[in-house]
Amino acid sequence: MLLSEESYRKIEKELAKFPATKKRSAAIAALTIAQDEKGWLSPEVMREIADYLGVPAVAIEEVASFYSMFNTRPVGKYKIAVCCNLPCEMTGSDVTAQYLKEKLHIGFGETTPDGLFTLVESECMGACGDGPVILVNNKKMYMRMTKDRIDRLLEELK
């Protein structure tokens, strides 16, 4: 087993929300639980989830590759997603992105040499009035990001 017993208990709780014939419906939850434990979704982990849910591996791979919240390759301890859609860009997300690139010495899709940060572009996060917006590890959203707020955030994360 690649996942812990605790992760399987969580997946079982999610499976209980669906009819026994609809295990595939728990795919997003199962992938989220696995990623929370492992940091990313390796092909082996996706296969294990598919086997556990009783669905073809390709069905799980399709879900994982469709949603940007899932990491199908290793990422840093902190994945920083910058909203790059027009409303955020109009409030300075391009400046935010450039500042993060310069500060971290990486581009989009790259990870710092120490493995601490990965920087990615993101589609709309639904906080258009509060841009520029960044999301850390798909869990915590930071809004109205300035250079000072970015500096403080990076220090907190280190």
Side-chain angles (χ1 to χ4, degrees), residues 78 103 116-117 148-158:
Y78 300 106
K103 190 86 176 164
L116 202 53
F117 298 105
D148 288 338
R149 293 185 80 193
I150 292 167
D151 289 342
R152 284 195 302 274
L153 174 62
L154 293 177
E155 283 305 311
E156 287 173 21
L157 294 175
K158 287 180 182 176

Side-chain angles (χ1 to χ4, degrees), residues 55-74:
V55 300
V58 69
I60 297 302
E61 292 165 7
E62 288 172 344
V63 173
S65 63
F66 179 79
Y67 292 102
S68 63
M69 65 188 178
F70 293 123
N71 308 316
T72 55
R73 61 181 180 83

Side-chain angles (χ1 to χ4, degrees), residues 11 14-15 18 22-36 41 49 53 55 59-60 62-67 69-70 139:
I11 292 171
E14 294 301 321
L15 281 168
F18 305 100
K22 302 289 183 185
K23 287 185 175 186
R24 177 180 286 197
S25 299
I28 290 175
L31 288 167
T32 300
I33 291 163
Q35 182 168 280
D36 285 348
L41 300 169
I49 290 170
L53 297 180
V55 300
I60 297 302
E62 288 172 344
V63 173
S65 63
F66 179 79
Y67 292 102
M69 65 188 178
F70 293 123
K139 305 283 185 200

Side-chain angles (χ1 to χ4, degrees), residues 95-112:
V95 173
T96 298
Q98 188 58 39
Y99 187 68
L100 280 162
K101 289 175 183 178
E102 291 169 5
K103 190 86 176 164
L104 298 173
H105 306 289
I106 58 173
F108 283 133
E110 297 177 345
T111 300
T112 56

Side-chain angles (χ1 to χ4, degrees), residues 9-20:
R9 277 193 290 277
K10 290 177 183 177
I11 292 171
E12 280 299 320
K13 282 179 79 172
E14 294 301 321
L15 281 168
K17 298 175 184 177
F18 305 100

